[in-house]
Amino acid sequence: MKYFLNIILYIGIPFSIFSQSVNYYQSCFGLSGEELKSELHELISNHTSYSYTTTKTILREADEDPNNAANIILVYTGNSIDKFDFSSNLEPDFWNREHVWPKSHGEFDNGDPFEEPAYTDAHNLKPVDSSINTFRGEKDFDNGGEVVLNGSVETSCYSTSSTFEPRDEVKGDIARIILYMDLRYEGGSGEPNLVVVDGLTTYPYPQIGDKATLLEWHTQDPPDAFEKRRNDVIFKWQGNRNPFIDYPEFVDYIYSDAEPVINPIQFTSVSLNPENIEGGSSFTVSANIISAINCPIESMTLNYGNSWGDISNSITMTINENGEYECQVPEQVYNTMFCYSITATICEEVSQTFFGSEIIPPFPFEGLITPINEIQGGTESSPFEGQFINTAGIVTGSFANSFYIQNGSEPWSGIYVYSSAGLPQMGDSVIVVGEVSEFCWENGALCDGPGTTEIYQPDDIYIISNNNPIPEPILVTSGEALQEQYEGVLIKMNDVECISNANGYGVWNVNDGSGICGIHNTPDGYEHNEEIGEVYTITGIVSSTFNDWKVDLRMPSDVESGADTTPPYIVNHECYEVGENYYIYLFFNEEIDNSFVSEYYFYVSGGDIQSVSMDMFDPTKVIISLSNINSSSFIVNVFEMYDLNGNLAENIFYQFNCNFNINIDEDYSKYILFSNPSNGLLNLNLQDNLNNINIYDIQGRLVFSKVFPKGKNEININNAGFYYLQINDLNFVPIIIK
């Protein structure tokens, strides 16, 4: 059990706010200097290490946006983005992991967490914009410098050639991470001996600075709710804490030789009953307090919630028969955190506050969970019809007397639940216990046979957790949407045209050219004022009522007006090496505006841009010519890019690797081309008996065409430039004429 202490004294100057786990830090009380540092080191060492891949999962939980559980907060910019938009995804914006103490400052970059725990220590990892991660690199921390740009957008960070200053809101966070690493890694057992020092450093020595600046940042920016929650989450995974978040004054005791302060009032005990709280059941919180200045207690108040971002629920604590202050806390949600504070106020305006948190485990369900796709069975009728089952999923839509749950983002992954009471909310993770049935309606009456697969009036609905990410909708055409495999599943249709207004049952029709699909204005969901001829992007759940198939709308964002509202982004790339010339092909998700295809709008790390041009045959493809290659890892930054519908994408970042070794597929083995680049004379050694040879210039004009026999052949091109060679039906191969 964990307890955290936060003391605010209003006698003279207020003391600093701090929090602690009483049991966790019991051996450290009263210590200072090297003695305290040594004890804390022993306390937090030998943590559980995870793979570097797993750290992504840890950060998705630890750095979750408190206002949007589907997003993650990026440390240096404060941007909130989808937590699954990691840098390996081909998305216009993404995040990466920042080693706050750079791995080069200590050489802990082998990647094996069981040999190099510093490499995967989640306390030292923060989600960050990929470009900022690259820009900061190995720099020390200090104030000053020029404003750091994220693409063309100014951030609140500053940098010189050797230092980096983060935004004010996280300066203390960064300082406490660095001090944690100095405390945790003292050498021995193959671990690095990391030391925070005055002044600036030169890697790869295991040092980082500037200590004085970091101590100043620590004081300026004390731990907030976000940082405390993050500490709790990492503790849950690794089994160790960052003491400087729980006890900020430990920094003074270790690095400034301050003596521990004796508090005039103290909590002697705080306990929960039962000790291991469970979701779905109420419990008691009790506390004892001693006043060293002999003043009576005026009030005791407990504030609580399921995140440090919101502990607004308040209960007044009263004295029980044992002389303890206690209160009864209502049942909490499974698989979440119980965050709380207890504030005692005594005379002379002296106030003392405990901060505590407890992990509420998942629902201890012992029955067999039948996956939704097995219940659906891949057919019109469920193989479990008439059977009682337990199933689980995320609520994708909740209506007046029903809801849908879904497990994954695949066909057959959703199901309808009819319930007159105890309805969960969208984003809830639930276990549903009940009988599977098929609701069949034909010619105005109930019928036997396949219908809507549903769980009717379930026996139990267990809410496991709240605010979970909704499964991604499956992208389908209007002609595909109303198929059995999508029953109960969240789907999305792009650029569908409204072809009729709503009938008496609230159903209006759309078509993208592939077939008609009904859209349901649900009175207890969302009713859209559709217009015939308008083009929409529709998101909703495929349903059937009285054998009438349609897509149920849940909320206003399920209907987006206008065709193509999505800005362009990069979806793939190819790398080519031609002699001493290097080319990167970028493939966008749609046709792009050629007027923005120039060196002015592009930046590439790892080499110098010689030219940027549109591919003559593919309007979604951009060709970048590079020279002076200095890395195998590249970041492309496109400052501005429009599609043909005027949608603007700003600061597209795309990260990838190129070894610039041309991979010849088996079709290309039918010929050998040399020299390339050349002075105009091309030699072709052809393997087929007859070969259709075409050469095009960069504007797509045919400049050479001839049929050649098998064997060695020569081609002369008089004008220097960039060309494409086509042999029979092979892809276009770039050639250079000097």
Side-chain angles (χ1 to χ4, degrees):
M1 181 172 293
K2 305 181 292 298
Y3 304 113
F4 302 89
L5 174 64
N6 180 5
I7 297 181
I8 309 173
L9 299 179
Y10 298 97
I11 302 175
I13 341 177
F15 286 73
S16 62
I17 301 174
F18 62 95
S19 62
Q20 56 138 334
S21 169
V22 173
N23 294 335
Y24 190 77
Y25 296 107
Q26 192 68 48
S27 63
C28 303
F29 294 157
L31 304 180
S32 62
E34 286 298 320
E35 190 177 13
L36 174 60
K37 186 176 183 182
S38 177
E39 187 65 29
L40 287 173
H41 169 73
E42 292 299 319
L43 188 65
I44 67 175
S45 296
N46 300 315
H47 71 264
T48 301
S49 297
Y50 291 90
S51 70
Y52 196 49
T53 299
T54 304
T55 62
K56 291 188 292 184
T57 302
I58 300 175
L59 294 185
R60 288 181 178 120
E61 183 180 358
D63 291 87
E64 180 182 283
D65 185 345
N67 299 314
N68 184 354
N71 281 17
I72 196 169
I73 298 293
L74 306 185
V75 60
Y76 293 138
T77 60
N79 293 335
S80 175
I81 70 169
D82 191 314
K83 61 175 58 175
F84 291 98
D85 279 350
F86 190 69
S87 62
S88 61
N89 294 346
L90 303 176
E91 299 289 340
D93 300 298
F94 41 77
W95 63 277
N96 213 328
R97 288 157 292 190
E98 160 92 341
H99 286 85
V100 179
W101 188 298
K103 53 185 183 286
S104 58
H105 287 250
E107 299 183 331
F108 52 86
D109 56 356
N110 294 340
D112 186 342
F114 303 104
E115 295 182 4
E116 299 282 358
Y119 184 78
T120 62
D121 194 326
H123 285 294
N124 186 47
L125 298 174
K126 292 288 285 183
V128 63
D129 307 75
S130 290
S131 62
I132 304 295
N133 182 32
T134 302
F135 180 84
R136 188 246 157 167
E138 309 79 26
K139 295 178 180 179
D140 287 355
F141 291 104
D142 204 352
N143 295 311
E146 301 293 328
V147 173
V148 176
L149 299 180
N150 187 14
S152 60
V153 178
E154 290 188 356
T155 71
S156 298
C157 304
Y158 297 86
S159 183
T160 68
S161 60
S162 56
T163 65
F164 188 86
E165 178 185 353
R167 59 192 177 100
D168 290 346
E169 293 82 358
V170 297
K171 284 181 175 176
D173 306 53
I174 297 299
R176 285 179 284 276
I177 290 172
I178 293 295
L179 297 176
Y180 161 86
M181 295 293 285
D182 176 57
L183 179 70
R184 167 65 181 85
Y185 297 97
E186 296 280 332
S189 303
E191 296 181 354
N193 182 17
L194 305 182
V195 181
V196 59
V197 297
D198 292 313
L200 304 183
T201 64
T202 302
Y203 73 93
Y205 298 107
Q207 302 173 349
I208 199 169
D210 174 59
K211 182 167 72 174
T213 300
L214 292 167
L215 296 179
E216 179 184 320
W217 290 355
H218 164 73
T219 302
Q220 291 175 352
D221 175 36
D224 56 16
F226 185 90
E227 195 177 359
K228 293 175 185 175
R229 180 191 176 277
R230 171 181 160 88
N231 199 25
D232 286 341
V233 171
I234 296 175
F235 176 65
K236 179 182 70 173
W237 283 84
Q238 294 189 173
N240 73 337
R241 306 183 65 81
N242 184 336
F244 304 120
I245 298 173
D246 295 332
Y247 248 128
E249 58 272 37
F250 279 169
V251 174
D252 294 329
Y253 299 165
I254 293 174
Y255 295 96
S256 301
D257 297 323
E259 292 295 324
V261 177
I262 299 177
N263 306 313
I265 54 177
Q266 298 181 1
F267 281 90
T268 59
S269 67
V270 174
S271 60
L272 278 65
N273 188 21
E275 181 175 347
N276 298 314
I277 60 176
E278 297 180 354
S281 301
S282 63
F283 55 93
T284 300
V285 178
S286 57
N288 273 318
I289 189 171
I290 296 176
S291 173
I293 55 178
N294 200 28
C295 287
I297 298 173
E298 296 180 352
S299 65
M300 290 273 286
T301 305
L302 179 124
N303 287 287
Y304 70 93
N306 292 126
S307 75
W308 284 117
D310 182 12
I311 54 171
S312 58
N313 301 299
S314 181
I315 304 175
T316 299
M317 304 181 73
T318 58
I319 298 179
N320 62 19
E321 65 274 10
N322 299 319
E324 299 175 321
Y325 283 86
E326 70 173 20
C327 64
Q328 193 78 8
V329 180
E331 62 183 49
Q332 300 296 296
V333 177
Y334 294 99
N335 198 28
T336 185
M337 281 197 354
F338 173 65
C339 304
Y340 67 99
S341 68
I342 303 174
T343 300
T345 302
I346 63 177
C347 64
E348 302 184 17
E349 297 184 343
V350 179
S351 183
Q352 176 177 318
T353 304
F354 269 103
F355 285 94
S357 67
E358 294 292 330
I359 302 296
I360 303 176
F363 177 73
F365 193 79
E366 297 180 354
L368 176 66
I369 298 293
T370 304
I372 296 173
N373 66 323
E374 291 185 13
I375 298 173
Q376 290 288 1
T379 62
E380 289 185 330
S381 296
S382 170
F384 290 86
E385 183 181 2
Q387 299 181 38
F388 282 85
I389 53 86
N390 316 301
T391 194
I394 304 296
V395 177
T396 55
S398 184
F399 304 94
N401 57 4
S402 63
F403 61 96
Y404 294 87
I405 61 173
Q406 190 169 324
N407 183 15
S409 296
E410 304 293 333
W412 310 105
S413 63
I415 194 168
Y416 175 77
V417 183
Y418 182 90
S419 178
S420 56
L423 293 173
Q425 300 300 308
M426 195 181 308
D428 286 350
S429 174
V430 299
I431 295 175
V432 179
V433 179
E435 182 182 1
V436 178
S437 62
E438 293 284 337
F439 181 78
C440 178
W441 186 267
E442 189 175 357
N443 298 323
L446 292 171
C447 56
D448 294 325
T452 300
T453 303
E454 64 180 17
I455 301 174
Y456 184 80
Q457 297 289 20
D459 292 3
D460 289 297
I461 301 172
Y462 301 103
I463 299 176
I464 309 304
S465 60
N466 310 119
N467 301 316
N468 296 280
I470 305 296
E472 286 292 319
I474 300 176
L475 186 62
V476 298
T477 66
S478 61
E480 298 170 334
L482 304 183
Q483 295 181 15
E484 181 74 26
Q485 62 183 336
Y486 301 125
E487 178 189 76
V489 175
L490 192 64
I491 59 94
K492 184 176 184 178
M493 298 175 288
N494 289 331
D495 300 339
V496 291
E497 182 181 355
C498 176
I499 60 173
S500 72
N501 291 121
N503 57 25
Y505 298 102
V507 177
W508 47 285
N509 293 317
V510 299
N511 194 339
D512 61 6
S514 64
I516 296 174
C517 178
I519 309 298
H520 186 207
N521 286 338
T522 52
D524 49 356
Y526 173 62
E527 297 185 65
H528 184 72
N529 186 22
E530 73 284 347
E531 295 184 20
I532 295 177
E534 278 291 308
V535 176
Y536 301 102
T537 294
I538 304 288
T539 303
I541 303 171
V542 177
S543 70
S544 176
T545 305
F546 303 116
N547 211 29
D548 179 23
W549 286 84
K550 56 197 180 296
V551 175
D552 281 346
L553 300 177
R554 308 162 300 160
M555 52 192 173
S557 60
D558 282 346
V559 183
E560 300 179 34
S561 297
D564 187 16
T565 60
T566 304
Y569 58 89
I570 301 168
V571 297
N572 207 346
H573 72 279
E574 292 178 1
C575 306
Y576 288 96
E577 180 181 355
V578 183
E580 299 178 356
N581 297 273
Y582 304 89
Y583 302 93
I584 298 170
Y585 293 176
L586 299 178
F587 298 88
F588 286 75
N589 63 308
E590 59 183 327
E591 294 186 33
I592 57 177
D593 188 341
N594 187 34
S595 60
F596 288 82
V597 180
S598 73
E599 298 91 324
Y600 180 79
Y601 296 100
F602 285 74
Y603 167 79
V604 179
S605 70
D608 297 333
I609 296 178
Q610 298 302 301
S611 65
V612 179
S613 59
M614 177 84 78
D615 186 90
M616 59 192 173
F617 303 104
D618 185 355
T620 69
K621 178 177 166 185
V622 170
I623 302 168
I624 301 177
S625 172
L626 296 175
S627 64
N628 299 324
I629 303 299
N630 56 44
S631 175
S632 61
S633 179
F634 296 86
I635 295 177
V636 172
N637 180 199
V638 186
F639 303 117
E640 289 184 36
M641 180 61 67
Y642 284 87
D643 62 17
L644 299 185
N645 292 306
N647 297 306
L648 170 64
E650 294 183 287
N651 298 312
I652 302 173
F653 285 94
Y654 184 76
Q655 189 173 19
F656 58 98
N657 292 317
C658 283
N659 58 18
F660 288 107
N661 292 318
I662 302 177
N663 295 318
I664 307 294
D665 71 31
E666 57 186 14
D667 286 333
Y668 289 137
S669 66
K670 297 179 180 180
Y671 74 93
I672 298 175
L673 169 67
F674 59 97
S675 300
N676 189 17
S678 75
N679 59 2
L681 178 63
L682 297 172
N683 292 280
L684 283 172
N685 194 350
L686 303 171
Q687 304 301 313
D688 289 342
N689 291 324
L690 293 176
N691 303 271
N692 295 308
I693 306 298
N694 294 315
I695 296 179
Y696 301 84
D697 65 14
I698 194 66
Q699 283 80 36
R701 295 172 298 198
L702 183 66
V703 299
F704 182 91
S705 182
K706 188 175 178 180
V707 177
F708 283 101
K710 182 178 180 180
K712 184 179 179 181
N713 299 272
E714 293 184 349
I715 300 175
N716 276 298
I717 304 293
N718 296 322
N719 297 321
F722 185 95
Y723 295 84
Y724 288 96
L725 171 69
Q726 184 187 38
I727 302 177
N728 299 321
D729 295 324
L730 299 184
N731 293 330
F732 293 91
V733 179
I735 57 177
I736 302 291
I737 306 298
K738 295 183 177 180

